[in-house]
Amino acid sequence: MNKKNSINFEKDLKKQLKNKQFKKYFDEYGKQLEVAYLIMQKRKQAKISQKELAQKIGTTQSNVARMEAGNQNLSMITLEKIAEALKSELKVSFLRK
């Protein structure tokens, strides 16, 4: 993620976290939502539709919509397929809190 997208995400997130219901959901599912947001951003940057991404990764448009809404727990295999379809590199890291 480049710096511009990071700033937009952080700005949008800060605004959304003011909503108590969103904050509760984010606290429970924050990382899943962050991944969902990144998938949507990368897809839009690639200028492809949900249907096109679905075809590239072997699923349906409705599954991609659920992924982008944070309503699916994605496997590493699926994340790799998405990264490849979006001409991106998938990186996973564990950072000290």
Side-chain angles (χ1 to χ4, degrees):
M1 177 166 61
N2 67 34
K3 188 170 181 142
K4 181 180 177 190
N5 288 339
S6 177
I7 292 169
N8 288 340
F9 175 73
E10 290 170 13
K11 181 180 176 184
D12 291 344
L13 179 59
K14 186 175 181 179
K15 181 179 175 184
Q16 291 294 326
L17 287 172
K18 291 178 183 176
N19 177 308
K20 288 181 183 181
Q21 191 172 23
F22 179 88
K23 182 170 179 0
K24 180 181 181 232
Y25 187 70
F26 184 82
D27 289 345
E28 292 178 27
Y29 301 100
K31 292 300 174 193
Q32 192 168 329
L33 291 172
E34 188 174 346
V35 169
Y37 179 84
L38 292 170
I39 291 169
M40 181 183 65
Q41 288 293 91
K42 292 298 282 184
R43 178 184 59 76
K44 287 181 176 183
Q45 286 173 0
K47 297 181 180 172
I48 64 172
S49 67
Q50 288 181 341
K51 184 177 180 179
E52 290 169 311
L53 178 58
Q55 290 170 342
K56 289 177 182 260
I57 66 172
T59 192
T60 63
Q61 177 275 326
S62 60
N63 278 341
V64 171
R66 282 192 291 277
M67 289 175 197
E68 290 184 358
N71 293 330
Q72 285 194 321
N73 193 3
L74 303 172
S75 69
M76 288 300 295
I77 292 169
T78 300
L79 290 171
E80 284 286 352
K81 286 180 183 179
I82 293 168
E84 185 176 325
L86 298 174
K87 297 179 174 71
S88 298
E89 179 184 358
L90 176 65
K91 286 190 175 186
V92 177
S93 61
F94 294 90
L95 304 172
R96 188 174 304 261
K97 287 185 175 186

